[in-house]
Amino acid sequence: MLLPRASVVFCFFATFTLVYSNSKVVRYRKWAEEHPDAFVNQETADESLQFSSKPQIEASSGSVWPMPQLMQVQENRVFLSADTFEFSFSMHDCDTLQSAFKRYYHIIFDGHLDTKLKFSPRVEKQESNCVLPSCDTAENTMLEGLVVELDTPCEKYPSLESNETYTLNVKSPTAKLSASSIWGALRGKSVISIVFMMHVSFEIQETKKMLIEIVSNYFITLLQSLDAMAYNKFNVFHWHIVDDQSFPYQSAAFPNLNVKGAFPPYYHHSYTQEDVAIVIEYARQRGIRVVAEFDSPGHSQSWGLSQKDLLTPCYSSGKPDGSFGPINPILNSTYDFLKKFFGEVVTVFPDHYVHLGGDEVSFTCWKSNPDITAFMKKMGYGDDYSKLESYYIQRLLDIMKSLKAGYLVWQEVFDNGVKVATDTVIHTWKGGYTDELGKITKAGYKTVLSSPWYLNYISDPYDEPWKNYYKIDPQNFSGSQAQKDLVMGGEACMWGEYVDGTNLIQRLWPNAAAIGERLWSSADTTDFNAAAPRLVEQRCRMVKRGLQAEPVSGPGYCKYEYSP
């Protein structure tokens, strides 16, 4: 069929709810009255017309996601009322615990919240707001509250060494959450918002086994992503905050990095110091670490727009051609700048670790520059420009050590034979990752894996890509147990070339949730068929909580429609 060039043709599968304006509803009702034969009388319809619509995968009801490493369930029903239920604590108290009480009370009771109360939030007497369909105490047992017991005082910030173990025991009249630290209590509370709708009594034990990081570069949707991370037990936000195209971070020491390096107008496309502080605090309250990445010597074109002589001038036919390459590694002024800049970074970002990048460094410009080639000859490097890269990285690592900071680098630094300190964390991101993990850990380095979990790669939804993410075990490579213990965890990546605030949440969730369970649950939790109904339910929970998580397993529906 030939179509006019101005025509727009589309097809949609209408398995969703359409919300009409009042005028459309009136027109629809008028049309329905005029065309009564268009509707089937369900009481008198021929049996051949009877059918039962259902989703492709039925959501589970009250199942936990991600699956704990140990869970015991007894089929006893309990119910909650916003009139009587209260959170309380014993042993240790802090602002993070208080904030979590209020946040999860709000989630459990659909927005009922009295912010004036400290640890026992209640609403004024009103019609009972029960979690169960029935609040008949003859059939169910009243759960009066939850007591949180912390073994140690609250820490200010989570760290790599934080103990996130917890035990949750739900029995009437009072449930008990025991945790070694405040961060374990937060992990338990993410389960509480689920299990208080499960109508059961049970005990859960769960132990941290990984780091997970998500890459993003937006602000409002970034905060929403942190909420989603908390709901799915992600515990590290890897913030790739600058790159070739833009320098949105506002540096106090070098303000022109942002003024000249951010997308114009810079004040609309920047992260102020206050913005960064908000993100860090928002993440801290959810037990999430923020690890910033400032990638160099490559991916640094935006840096050079304000910092004279920082980038390497490229030459063509023996003359500068006006373009620039990676950071110039042969000038002392480069390292003076880096020391001052990263001196600021480690004060702004409280986590022990900073990601220093080191990936995709092109040697072409370095090879064209006569000053660089003369330096290579002087140092005895010959034509091996990986040695020049090693020179730069080693001087940068010396700066970080002087600042008492830990660091991660991308795998090219290791692959190119750069001599790095034994406490360097190598970030594995390329193909052939099983062999790479074996080589890195055999050399004694810790590593984080992201290779199989690049969610910015658009996959065919009919292939249900979450299953590919779910089947990956980062410790499934040839090596000793000591080597496998050096795998710190995994990372779900979302790069921003084709993602912004309009589609970030949808592209990330709930596919990232499958990665979360793969890394948090027992190694034998691998059954797609068992996971699918729980993932559908988890997706609907996120929708109910105001997150536009996309459908993951074909035609279906959620009990609650998305409402921003």
Short mmCIF file of all heavy atoms in Angstrom, two decimals, residues 185-221:
data_model
loop_
_atom_site.label_atom_id
_atom_site.label_comp_id
_atom_site.label_asym_id
_atom_site.label_seq_id
_atom_site.Cartn_x
_atom_site.Cartn_y
_atom_site.Cartn_z
N ALA A 185 19.91 -2.36 58.91
CA ALA A 185 18.52 -2.03 59.25
C ALA A 185 17.79 -1.46 58.03
O ALA A 185 16.62 -1.77 57.80
CB ALA A 185 18.48 -1.03 60.41
N LEU A 186 18.48 -0.63 57.24
CA LEU A 186 17.85 -0.08 56.04
C LEU A 186 17.54 -1.17 55.03
O LEU A 186 16.50 -1.14 54.36
CB LEU A 186 18.75 0.98 55.41
CG LEU A 186 18.96 2.27 56.22
CD1 LEU A 186 19.86 3.23 55.45
CD2 LEU A 186 17.64 2.93 56.54
N ARG A 187 18.45 -2.14 54.89
CA ARG A 187 18.17 -3.26 53.98
C ARG A 187 16.95 -4.04 54.46
O ARG A 187 16.12 -4.47 53.67
CB ARG A 187 19.38 -4.19 53.88
CG ARG A 187 20.63 -3.52 53.38
CD ARG A 187 20.53 -3.05 51.93
NE ARG A 187 21.65 -2.16 51.62
CZ ARG A 187 21.53 -0.88 51.36
NH1 ARG A 187 20.34 -0.31 51.34
NH2 ARG A 187 22.59 -0.14 51.09
N GLY A 188 16.84 -4.22 55.78
CA GLY A 188 15.69 -4.91 56.32
C GLY A 188 14.41 -4.13 56.13
O GLY A 188 13.34 -4.71 55.87
N LYS A 189 14.49 -2.82 56.24
CA LYS A 189 13.28 -2.00 56.09
C LYS A 189 12.75 -2.04 54.66
O LYS A 189 11.54 -1.93 54.44
CB LYS A 189 13.56 -0.56 56.52
CG LYS A 189 13.46 -0.38 58.02
CD LYS A 189 13.66 1.07 58.38
CE LYS A 189 13.29 1.28 59.84
NZ LYS A 189 11.85 1.12 60.06
N SER A 190 13.63 -2.21 53.67
CA SER A 190 13.13 -2.33 52.30
C SER A 190 12.30 -3.59 52.14
O SER A 190 11.39 -3.66 51.32
CB SER A 190 14.30 -2.33 51.30
OG SER A 190 15.06 -3.52 51.39
N VAL A 191 12.61 -4.62 52.94
CA VAL A 191 11.82 -5.85 52.93
C VAL A 191 10.53 -5.66 53.71
O VAL A 191 9.47 -6.17 53.33
CB VAL A 191 12.63 -7.02 53.53
CG1 VAL A 191 11.78 -8.29 53.61
CG2 VAL A 191 13.87 -7.29 52.70
N ILE A 192 10.58 -4.87 54.79
CA ILE A 192 9.40 -4.65 55.62
C ILE A 192 8.25 -4.08 54.80
O ILE A 192 7.09 -4.47 54.96
CB ILE A 192 9.75 -3.68 56.78
CG1 ILE A 192 10.62 -4.40 57.80
CG2 ILE A 192 8.48 -3.16 57.45
CD1 ILE A 192 11.25 -3.48 58.81
N SER A 193 8.56 -3.16 53.88
CA SER A 193 7.50 -2.54 53.09
C SER A 193 6.82 -3.55 52.18
O SER A 193 5.73 -3.30 51.66
CB SER A 193 8.07 -1.41 52.23
OG SER A 193 9.02 -1.90 51.30
N ILE A 194 7.45 -4.72 51.99
CA ILE A 194 6.86 -5.81 51.21
C ILE A 194 6.16 -6.80 52.12
O ILE A 194 4.99 -7.12 51.93
CB ILE A 194 7.94 -6.53 50.38
CG1 ILE A 194 8.60 -5.57 49.40
CG2 ILE A 194 7.34 -7.72 49.65
CD1 ILE A 194 9.80 -6.16 48.69
N VAL A 195 6.87 -7.28 53.13
CA VAL A 195 6.34 -8.40 53.91
C VAL A 195 5.17 -8.01 54.79
O VAL A 195 4.38 -8.86 55.17
CB VAL A 195 7.45 -9.04 54.78
CG1 VAL A 195 8.59 -9.52 53.92
CG2 VAL A 195 7.94 -8.07 55.86
N PHE A 196 5.02 -6.73 55.11
CA PHE A 196 3.86 -6.33 55.89
C PHE A 196 2.59 -6.38 55.05
O PHE A 196 1.52 -6.05 55.53
CB PHE A 196 4.06 -4.93 56.46
CG PHE A 196 4.87 -4.93 57.73
CD1 PHE A 196 5.38 -6.11 58.25
CD2 PHE A 196 5.11 -3.76 58.42
CE1 PHE A 196 6.12 -6.12 59.42
CE2 PHE A 196 5.85 -3.75 59.60
CZ PHE A 196 6.36 -4.93 60.08
N MET A 197 2.74 -6.78 53.79
CA MET A 197 1.59 -7.03 52.95
C MET A 197 1.51 -8.50 52.58
O MET A 197 0.80 -8.88 51.65
CB MET A 197 1.66 -6.17 51.68
CG MET A 197 1.73 -4.69 51.98
SD MET A 197 1.86 -3.69 50.49
CE MET A 197 2.05 -2.06 51.21
N MET A 198 2.26 -9.36 53.28
CA MET A 198 2.32 -10.76 52.91
C MET A 198 1.43 -11.67 53.74
O MET A 198 1.23 -12.83 53.39
CB MET A 198 3.77 -11.27 53.03
CG MET A 198 4.69 -10.76 51.95
SD MET A 198 6.37 -11.38 52.12
CE MET A 198 6.14 -13.13 51.95
N HIS A 199 0.94 -11.18 54.88
CA HIS A 199 0.04 -11.95 55.74
C HIS A 199 0.72 -13.22 56.30
O HIS A 199 0.11 -14.27 56.36
CB HIS A 199 -1.24 -12.37 55.02
CG HIS A 199 -1.67 -11.45 53.93
ND1 HIS A 199 -1.55 -10.09 54.00
CD2 HIS A 199 -2.24 -11.71 52.72
CE1 HIS A 199 -2.02 -9.54 52.90
NE2 HIS A 199 -2.43 -10.50 52.11
N VAL A 200 2.00 -13.14 56.63
CA VAL A 200 2.70 -14.33 57.10
C VAL A 200 3.57 -13.99 58.29
O VAL A 200 3.83 -12.83 58.58
CB VAL A 200 3.60 -14.95 56.00
CG1 VAL A 200 2.78 -15.40 54.82
CG2 VAL A 200 4.68 -13.97 55.56
N SER A 201 4.04 -15.04 58.97
CA SER A 201 5.04 -14.89 60.02
C SER A 201 6.28 -15.64 59.55
O SER A 201 6.19 -16.80 59.14
CB SER A 201 4.54 -15.48 61.33
OG SER A 201 5.58 -15.54 62.27
N PHE A 202 7.45 -15.00 59.58
CA PHE A 202 8.63 -15.67 59.06
C PHE A 202 9.88 -14.97 59.56
O PHE A 202 9.83 -13.93 60.20
CB PHE A 202 8.62 -15.68 57.53
CG PHE A 202 8.56 -14.31 56.93
CD1 PHE A 202 9.71 -13.62 56.64
CD2 PHE A 202 7.34 -13.71 56.69
CE1 PHE A 202 9.66 -12.36 56.10
CE2 PHE A 202 7.28 -12.44 56.15
CZ PHE A 202 8.44 -11.76 55.86
N GLU A 203 11.02 -15.56 59.24
CA GLU A 203 12.31 -15.00 59.63
C GLU A 203 13.21 -14.90 58.40
O GLU A 203 13.23 -15.80 57.57
CB GLU A 203 12.97 -15.89 60.68
CG GLU A 203 14.28 -15.34 61.23
CD GLU A 203 14.76 -16.13 62.42
OE1 GLU A 203 13.96 -16.35 63.33
OE2 GLU A 203 15.93 -16.52 62.41
N ILE A 204 13.91 -13.79 58.28
CA ILE A 204 14.80 -13.57 57.13
C ILE A 204 16.20 -13.25 57.63
O ILE A 204 16.39 -12.52 58.59
CB ILE A 204 14.31 -12.38 56.27
CG1 ILE A 204 13.00 -12.75 55.57
CG2 ILE A 204 15.36 -11.97 55.24
CD1 ILE A 204 12.46 -11.61 54.74
N GLN A 205 17.21 -13.83 56.97
CA GLN A 205 18.59 -13.44 57.20
C GLN A 205 19.20 -13.14 55.84
O GLN A 205 18.99 -13.88 54.87
CB GLN A 205 19.39 -14.55 57.88
CG GLN A 205 18.95 -14.80 59.32
CD GLN A 205 19.77 -15.89 59.96
OE1 GLN A 205 20.28 -16.76 59.30
NE2 GLN A 205 19.88 -15.82 61.27
N GLU A 206 19.95 -12.07 55.75
CA GLU A 206 20.55 -11.71 54.46
C GLU A 206 21.88 -11.03 54.70
O GLU A 206 22.04 -10.26 55.64
CB GLU A 206 19.61 -10.77 53.70
CG GLU A 206 20.09 -10.44 52.32
CD GLU A 206 18.98 -9.77 51.52
OE1 GLU A 206 17.81 -10.16 51.69
OE2 GLU A 206 19.30 -8.88 50.75
N THR A 207 22.86 -11.34 53.85
CA THR A 207 24.19 -10.80 54.01
C THR A 207 24.65 -10.14 52.73
O THR A 207 24.45 -10.67 51.65
CB THR A 207 25.18 -11.93 54.38
OG1 THR A 207 24.71 -12.58 55.56
CG2 THR A 207 26.56 -11.37 54.66
N LYS A 208 25.27 -8.98 52.86
CA LYS A 208 25.80 -8.26 51.71
C LYS A 208 26.86 -9.11 51.02
O LYS A 208 27.70 -9.71 51.67
CB LYS A 208 26.41 -6.95 52.19
CG LYS A 208 27.30 -6.25 51.17
CD LYS A 208 27.94 -5.05 51.83
CE LYS A 208 28.98 -4.44 50.90
NZ LYS A 208 29.69 -3.34 51.54
N LYS A 209 26.85 -9.13 49.68
CA LYS A 209 27.87 -9.87 48.95
C LYS A 209 28.38 -9.10 47.74
O LYS A 209 29.07 -9.69 46.91
CB LYS A 209 27.34 -11.23 48.52
CG LYS A 209 26.13 -11.17 47.62
CD LYS A 209 25.69 -12.53 47.14
CE LYS A 209 26.65 -13.08 46.12
NZ LYS A 209 26.12 -14.31 45.49
N MET A 210 28.05 -7.82 47.61
CA MET A 210 28.42 -7.16 46.37
C MET A 210 28.39 -5.64 46.49
O MET A 210 27.91 -5.10 47.44
CB MET A 210 27.44 -7.57 45.25
CG MET A 210 25.99 -7.72 45.65
SD MET A 210 25.20 -6.26 46.28
CE MET A 210 24.94 -5.40 44.77
N LEU A 211 28.98 -5.01 45.48
CA LEU A 211 28.78 -3.59 45.21
C LEU A 211 27.97 -3.49 43.93
O LEU A 211 28.19 -4.24 42.99
CB LEU A 211 30.11 -2.87 44.97
CG LEU A 211 31.04 -2.68 46.15
CD1 LEU A 211 32.36 -2.12 45.65
CD2 LEU A 211 30.43 -1.74 47.15
N ILE A 212 27.05 -2.57 43.87
CA ILE A 212 26.35 -2.29 42.63
C ILE A 212 26.38 -0.80 42.41
O ILE A 212 26.17 -0.03 43.33
CB ILE A 212 24.89 -2.77 42.66
CG1 ILE A 212 24.85 -4.28 42.88
CG2 ILE A 212 24.17 -2.41 41.37
CD1 ILE A 212 23.46 -4.84 42.88
N GLU A 213 26.66 -0.41 41.19
CA GLU A 213 26.71 1.01 40.88
C GLU A 213 25.84 1.28 39.66
O GLU A 213 25.71 0.43 38.78
CB GLU A 213 28.16 1.43 40.58
CG GLU A 213 29.10 1.08 41.71
CD GLU A 213 30.55 1.19 41.32
OE1 GLU A 213 30.87 0.94 40.16
OE2 GLU A 213 31.34 1.52 42.20
N ILE A 214 25.28 2.45 39.61
CA ILE A 214 24.49 2.85 38.44
C ILE A 214 25.02 4.19 37.96
O ILE A 214 25.24 5.09 38.74
CB ILE A 214 23.00 2.96 38.77
CG1 ILE A 214 22.46 1.57 39.06
CG2 ILE A 214 22.23 3.60 37.64
CD1 ILE A 214 20.97 1.55 39.28
N VAL A 215 25.23 4.29 36.67
CA VAL A 215 25.73 5.52 36.09
C VAL A 215 24.57 6.38 35.61
O VAL A 215 23.65 5.91 34.96
CB VAL A 215 26.66 5.20 34.90
CG1 VAL A 215 27.14 6.49 34.25
CG2 VAL A 215 27.84 4.39 35.38
N SER A 216 24.62 7.65 35.95
CA SER A 216 23.56 8.57 35.54
C SER A 216 24.12 9.98 35.53
O SER A 216 25.14 10.24 36.14
CB SER A 216 22.38 8.49 36.51
OG SER A 216 21.41 9.44 36.21
N ASN A 217 23.46 10.92 34.84
CA ASN A 217 23.93 12.31 34.89
C ASN A 217 22.78 13.30 34.82
O ASN A 217 22.81 14.26 34.09
CB ASN A 217 24.98 12.59 33.80
CG ASN A 217 24.44 12.34 32.41
OD1 ASN A 217 23.35 11.82 32.25
ND2 ASN A 217 25.23 12.69 31.41
N TYR A 218 21.74 13.08 35.61
CA TYR A 218 20.61 14.00 35.72
C TYR A 218 20.34 14.22 37.20
O TYR A 218 20.87 13.50 38.04
CB TYR A 218 19.39 13.42 35.01
CG TYR A 218 19.77 12.66 33.77
CD1 TYR A 218 19.77 11.27 33.76
CD2 TYR A 218 20.21 13.34 32.65
CE1 TYR A 218 20.18 10.57 32.65
CE2 TYR A 218 20.63 12.64 31.54
CZ TYR A 218 20.61 11.26 31.54
OH TYR A 218 21.04 10.58 30.45
N PHE A 219 19.45 15.18 37.52
CA PHE A 219 19.29 15.50 38.94
C PHE A 219 17.98 14.98 39.52
O PHE A 219 17.97 14.14 40.42
CB PHE A 219 19.41 17.00 39.18
CG PHE A 219 19.46 17.35 40.64
CD1 PHE A 219 20.56 17.01 41.40
CD2 PHE A 219 18.40 17.99 41.25
CE1 PHE A 219 20.60 17.29 42.75
CE2 PHE A 219 18.44 18.29 42.59
CZ PHE A 219 19.55 17.94 43.35
N ILE A 220 16.83 15.46 39.03
CA ILE A 220 15.56 15.04 39.63
C ILE A 220 15.35 13.54 39.44
O ILE A 220 15.04 12.81 40.39
CB ILE A 220 14.39 15.83 39.01
CG1 ILE A 220 14.54 17.32 39.36
CG2 ILE A 220 13.06 15.30 39.50
CD1 ILE A 220 13.51 18.21 38.72
N THR A 221 15.54 13.06 38.21
CA THR A 221 15.39 11.63 37.98
C THR A 221 16.49 10.83 38.67
O THR A 221 16.31 9.66 38.97
CB THR A 221 15.40 11.31 36.47
OG1 THR A 221 16.52 11.97 35.87
CG2 THR A 221 14.13 11.78 35.81
#
